[in-house]
Amino acid sequence: MSKKSNGTLDQRRAKVLLIGGGGVGTIAALNLERGGLASVTVVLRSNYETVNEHGFNIESCDHGSLTGWRPTEVVDRVPIAGEGQWFEYIVCATKNVVDVPPSLTSIIAPAVTPSTVIVLVQNGLNIEKPFLSAFPSNMVLSGVSFMGSSEPQHGHIKHDFNDILVVGAFHNPSVDAVTEEHAARRFVELYSAGGRTKCTYSADVGWTRWRKLIYNACLNPICAITGLDTGRIRLADGVIDGLVRPAIDEIRAAARASGHELPDDITDTITKIPLDMYLPPSMLTDVRKNNFTEFENLLGEPLRAGQALGVPMPTLQVLYHLCQAIQWRNKEAKGMVKIPAKRTYTD
Amino acid sequence: MSKKSNGTLDQRRAKVLLIGGGGVGTIAALNLERGGLASVTVVLRSNYETVNEHGFNIESCDHGSLTGWRPTEVVDRVPIAGEGQWFEYIVCATKNVVDVPPSLTSIIAPAVTPSTVIVLVQNGLNIEKPFLSAFPSNMVLSGVSFMGSSEPQHGHIKHDFNDILVVGAFHNPSVDAVTEEHAARRFVELYSAGGRTKCTYSADVGWTRWRKLIYNACLNPICAITGLDTGRIRLADGVIDGLVRPAIDEIRAAARASGHELPDDITDTITKIPLDMYLPPSMLTDVRKNNFTEFENLLGEPLRAGQALGVPMPTLQVLYHLCQAIQWRNKEAKGMVKIPAKRTYTD
């Protein structure tokens, strides 16, 4: 069937604005375009010039090797909706550092119209709250991605682990749940059209997100703080039993208190990551590059959620404050906080 | 009075063997020599060649500037007692990394005779245990030093904070306490003879050591893990209230359970360190240089002591395992532990 064979609604290409063409975002854009049901405008920042000139070079476990690939459109700023532009979906695939401005809500605001569906392909808890607050009549979808993909150089995408995406709606009290489910299922349809990825709908957004926190609130900060990757963290003295298991037990207890029962053997999933792959989790990569981490969404939010429900979380509490200190160190190094001058001694 | 004016016991120079001529050890050797009651043989390792050729260059807040200073003798290995050599005191002023061989007891063993008094000018808890075990009939003294001194280059000593040393005896059950006190007071006499330092005798070795753990078990690892110095740790978001105070409360509780009541306002001593000095504690300096830290004596031993007495220490427990992981990272980097090869993919 030709993409433009007729004018019926389900066959026109959905206009998608995708923010953040890094490892995950670029593969999402590629997959949406390849499905033929969406045309994607990608907003780039640091890699804009490279990609605008040369396109993306992609090595993908799902899509093969592509040289000079381009989405429908590449732009260096968020378009203003209404100037001949209108987006059905805005997919946010950037890193989400809520404690460092500008906020993602302010970044996407110019493109948001009353009917725009916002899709957050990002990790952590309560990430929808600023969006529901800034755009109270819009639908906001949850995308939990399990793909492994990075951008070692500008415009070069290395996609190592299959694109698995779980989509559902964050509930907006001003929207009825059936409409939200329809929007989520339609996005699954767009994303699944290419046939190369595993995109599923799940109504239980909370469970899906707590499930992923086993990795992101526990292993991720422990690796970032110690400088050890997923293999070394298992080999190092005392770390699994002294840190990883206690942290996971605390996340499980907080999830349970929040109404989400995670499976008994969930702890073992961490220790089943093949040892000899030596993967750096995202926060470790960030810390190594002196970049900001997503510690507030990945660790701070579940900690606050659990503590508010009376769950003791002593391990995550310490990890949280250490991540907070490391974040501050990077803010100071980047000149975002000023400190008193060093005292000089004439002694 | 000439140093060799007569042969009476109290006027002969005590023979002291000092292990570790870094920042603290060199100032201790200088001070002992300047007092005129001791002759010091200093055992050097990494800086032996430089010092043997040029002596030490010292900038000291207690002793002024000295160029090419030499103790009585500089050697590159521990002398064997009996070959015309005999030492009244062996002063250990090295870093004390008990989890990395060779052990300090094995290093000093050739020089130890039945009457040798071993002086440990080192931090942490239970540091005497391996010595009492290896040398069950010898006296072992505790030296808690508050001096600030470093060796930024081989043979260059920068002594910034006054040499305050608190000396007492670790009790050896096979030695009577009066003899131990005598040995400790005699060392205080040797050390005080120069008149430029504050060396005092204290019978309460345990209290003195727990007191210093407020700094060494709490601030030191928190700075090392976060990469922040003593000034920045006070400025960073959430660290004092979220980490430092809880850690100090745990050390105070463990000290109390061990019979040592630390003053109520002890927590404030940390926050009274002048902010704008931005000092890196020893473990931070070690971590920055990828050197091993003394985390087992500074943090592991008080943690185990407190936990054995039923004291909850959740903050220090997490800090301990993080330090343990960082130590492992350095062991792996130095080839002291082997890990499976990284998997290669042909995909």
Side-chain angles (χ1 to χ4, degrees):
Chain A
M1 180 196 324
S2 155
K3 286 171 191 171
K4 296 188 175 179
S5 60
N6 62 45
T8 63
L9 186 70
D10 68 319
Q11 285 172 17
R12 73 164 171 81
R13 304 225 293 169
K15 286 208 73 178
V16 174
L17 181 68
L18 190 141
I19 318 288
V24 170
T26 302
I27 298 300
L30 170 62
N31 180 57
L32 283 164
E33 294 268 10
R34 287 201 143 185
L37 300 184
S39 69
V40 185
T41 297
V42 179
V43 184
L44 302 177
R45 209 168 46 171
S46 61
N47 57 358
Y48 172 74
E49 288 194 15
T50 304
V51 173
N52 192 43
E53 196 161 342
H54 305 289
F56 285 102
N57 292 325
I58 298 172
E59 289 287 332
S60 165
C61 55
D62 289 335
H63 301 280
S65 296
L66 294 92
T67 305
W69 178 79
R70 292 166 193 276
T72 297
E73 195 178 13
V74 167
V75 295
D76 64 351
R77 66 197 65 188
V78 170
I80 300 169
E83 293 182 350
Q85 296 261 37
W86 177 88
F87 299 99
E88 187 175 348
Y89 290 94
I90 297 180
V91 178
C92 297
T94 58
K95 205 164 74 171
N96 194 357
V97 183
V98 290
D99 55 319
V100 176
S103 68
L104 197 47
T105 52
S106 70
I107 289 171
I108 69 165
V112 177
T113 61
S115 60
T116 305
V117 178
I118 298 161
V119 188
L120 304 180
V121 182
Q122 291 168 320
N123 286 310
L125 216 61
N126 296 331
I127 60 171
E128 74 281 14
K129 290 194 172 172
F131 290 86
L132 293 174
S133 172
F135 312 110
S137 65
N138 287 76
M139 287 187 277
V140 182
L141 304 184
S142 162
V144 173
S145 172
F146 294 85
M147 98 168 66
S149 183
S150 60
E151 187 186 22
Q153 306 165 46
H154 280 171
H156 288 251
I157 305 296
K158 199 162 176 307
H159 177 205
D160 294 323
F161 295 94
N162 301 105
D163 184 359
I164 299 170
L165 184 67
V166 182
V167 175
F170 292 114
H171 182 52
N172 181 340
S174 70
V175 181
D176 77 278
V178 173
T179 307
E180 289 177 331
E181 179 174 341
H182 179 79
R185 288 194 181 276
R186 172 153 162 78
F187 188 79
V188 170
E189 187 192 350
L190 302 181
Y191 205 87
S192 303
R196 295 166 187 258
T197 59
K198 188 174 168 192
C199 181
T200 55
Y201 169 78
S202 167
D204 202 346
V205 164
W207 188 91
T208 307
R209 294 203 157 259
W210 278 101
R211 167 69 187 77
K212 197 164 180 203
L213 288 173
I214 294 291
Y215 185 90
N216 272 330
C218 303
L219 207 69
N220 211 340
I222 293 168
C223 289
I225 293 167
T226 60
L228 297 174
D229 54 43
T230 56
R232 289 178 172 84
I233 211 76
R234 288 178 52 194
L235 295 163
D237 304 322
V239 177
I240 291 292
D241 288 342
L243 296 171
V244 176
R245 288 187 190 280
I248 291 177
D249 287 346
E250 292 170 19
I251 282 290
R252 284 193 69 202
R256 187 177 303 120
S258 306
H260 305 290
E261 191 67 41
L262 300 178
D264 281 341
D265 61 349
I266 194 98
T267 306
D268 299 327
T269 60
I270 290 286
T271 53
K272 280 181 188 152
I273 300 171
L275 183 90
D276 55 0
M277 291 177 68
Y278 302 115
L279 303 172
S282 63
M283 281 178 63
L284 173 56
T285 300
D286 288 333
V287 168
R288 283 177 172 168
K289 293 180 175 176
N290 297 316
N291 285 341
F292 295 120
T293 70
E294 300 181 296
F295 82 103
E296 284 291 5
N297 288 339
L298 302 188
L299 177 53
E301 288 297 322
L303 174 66
R304 287 184 282 268
Q307 288 183 332
L309 294 163
V311 177
M313 302 174 83
T315 308
L316 294 185
Q317 163 103 351
V318 174
L319 297 177
Y320 170 75
H321 285 299
L322 292 169
C323 289
Q324 191 183 27
I326 292 168
Q327 192 88 324
W328 184 91
R329 183 182 79 200
N330 279 327
K331 287 179 184 172
E332 196 242 321
K334 292 176 201 293
M336 290 170 61
V337 289
K338 295 291 173 201
I339 66 172
K342 187 172 163 71
R343 189 186 300 196
T344 50
Y345 291 88
T346 51
D347 172 24
Chain B
M1 180 195 324
S2 154
K3 286 171 190 168
K4 296 189 177 178
S5 59
N6 62 47
T8 63
L9 187 69
D10 68 321
Q11 282 171 22
R12 73 161 171 82
R13 304 223 294 168
K15 287 207 73 178
V16 174
L17 182 68
L18 190 141
I19 317 287
V24 170
T26 302
I27 298 300
L30 171 62
N31 180 57
L32 283 164
E33 294 267 10
R34 288 201 141 187
L37 300 183
S39 68
V40 185
T41 297
V42 179
V43 183
L44 302 176
R45 209 168 43 172
S46 61
N47 57 357
Y48 172 76
E49 289 196 13
T50 304
V51 173
N52 192 44
E53 194 160 343
H54 304 290
F56 284 103
N57 293 325
I58 298 173
E59 289 287 331
S60 165
C61 55
D62 290 335
H63 301 279
S65 296
L66 294 93
T67 305
W69 179 79
R70 290 166 194 277
T72 296
E73 195 177 14
V74 166
V75 295
D76 64 350
R77 67 196 66 187
V78 170
I80 300 168
E83 293 182 353
Q85 296 261 35
W86 177 88
F87 298 98
E88 186 174 352
Y89 290 94
I90 296 180
V91 178
C92 298
T94 57
K95 205 165 74 172
N96 194 356
V97 182
V98 290
D99 54 318
V100 177
S103 68
L104 197 46
T105 51
S106 70
I107 289 171
I108 69 166
V112 177
T113 60
S115 60
T116 305
V117 178
I118 298 162
V119 188
L120 304 179
V121 182
Q122 291 169 319
N123 286 310
L125 216 62
N126 297 331
I127 61 171
E128 74 281 14
K129 290 193 171 172
F131 290 86
L132 293 174
S133 172
F135 312 110
S137 65
N138 287 76
M139 286 188 277
V140 183
L141 304 185
S142 161
V144 173
S145 172
F146 294 86
M147 101 169 62
S149 184
S150 59
E151 187 185 23
Q153 305 165 47
H154 280 173
H156 287 252
I157 305 295
K158 201 164 174 307
H159 177 204
D160 294 324
F161 295 94
N162 301 105
D163 183 0
I164 299 170
L165 185 67
V166 182
V167 175
F170 292 113
H171 183 52
N172 181 340
S174 70
V175 182
D176 77 279
V178 173
T179 307
E180 288 177 331
E181 180 174 341
H182 179 79
R185 288 193 182 275
R186 172 153 162 78
F187 189 79
V188 171
E189 187 193 350
L190 303 181
Y191 206 87
S192 301
R196 297 166 186 257
T197 58
K198 190 175 167 190
C199 181
T200 55
Y201 170 77
S202 169
D204 201 347
V205 164
W207 188 91
T208 307
R209 293 201 159 262
W210 276 101
R211 167 68 187 77
K212 198 163 179 204
L213 288 173
I214 294 291
Y215 186 90
N216 272 331
C218 302
L219 207 70
N220 211 340
I222 293 169
C223 288
I225 293 167
T226 60
L228 298 174
D229 55 43
T230 57
R232 287 177 173 83
I233 210 77
R234 288 177 53 194
L235 295 163
D237 304 323
V239 177
I240 292 292
D241 288 341
L243 295 171
V244 176
R245 288 187 189 281
I248 291 178
D249 288 345
E250 292 171 18
I251 283 290
R252 284 194 68 203
R256 186 178 303 120
S258 306
H260 305 291
E261 190 68 38
L262 300 178
D264 280 342
D265 61 350
I266 194 98
T267 306
D268 299 327
T269 60
I270 290 285
T271 54
K272 281 182 188 148
I273 299 171
L275 182 90
D276 55 1
M277 291 177 66
Y278 302 115
L279 303 171
S282 62
M283 280 177 66
L284 174 56
T285 300
D286 288 333
V287 168
R288 283 178 173 166
K289 293 180 174 175
N290 297 317
N291 285 340
F292 294 121
T293 71
E294 301 180 294
F295 82 104
E296 284 291 7
N297 288 339
L298 302 188
L299 178 52
E301 287 297 323
L303 175 66
R304 287 184 283 268
Q307 288 182 332
L309 294 163
V311 178
M313 302 174 82
T315 307
L316 294 185
Q317 163 103 350
V318 175
L319 296 178
Y320 170 76
H321 285 299
L322 292 169
C323 288
Q324 190 183 28
I326 292 169
Q327 192 88 325
W328 184 91
R329 184 183 77 201
N330 279 326
K331 288 178 184 171
E332 195 242 322
K334 292 175 201 293
M336 290 170 62
V337 288
K338 296 290 174 203
I339 66 173
K342 187 173 164 70
R343 188 186 301 195
T344 49
Y345 292 88
T346 50
D347 172 24

